[in-house]
Amino acid sequence: MRSRERYELIFVDATVPGTEDVVVVHRTDSSGPGGHPVYADDTGIVRAEISDRDEVRMIASGGHQVHAAVSARPVS
């Protein structure tokens, strides 16, 4: 199955109910540690490996990054 080209990553802060941040990421030529495609935002700061079952593994692009709960939603 071919991987999708774009996803929305939805970040939820559990300490503030009902809040979420959405970042659109696009497929890169890289693969993550699990062998799935790596997706990045336009700045390259937000990077995530997303499986064919839409499972997300965030990839740190710099020091001291802490990621909230995140899920992926395909973009058509």
Side-chain angles (χ1 to χ4, degrees):
M1 180 177 172
R2 178 142 167 80
S3 299
R4 297 182 184 273
E5 292 300 314
R6 296 186 313 152
Y7 279 91
E8 289 178 335
L9 295 180
I10 301 101
F11 295 88
V12 177
D13 184 348
T15 64
V16 184
T19 61
E20 65 181 30
D21 289 316
V22 178
V23 177
V24 176
V25 293
H26 57 86
R27 186 176 175 169
T28 68
D29 291 334
S30 300
S31 293
H36 301 288
V38 171
Y39 292 77
D41 71 340
D42 288 338
T43 67
I45 295 171
V46 176
R47 297 174 52 83
E49 177 182 14
I50 304 176
S51 76
D52 53 355
R53 295 187 303 179
D54 298 339
E55 299 164 319
V56 181
R57 178 187 295 177
M58 296 303 299
I59 299 173
S61 60
H64 306 292
Q65 285 184 327
V66 177
H67 302 289
V70 62
S71 59
R73 178 171 50 214
V75 176
S76 18

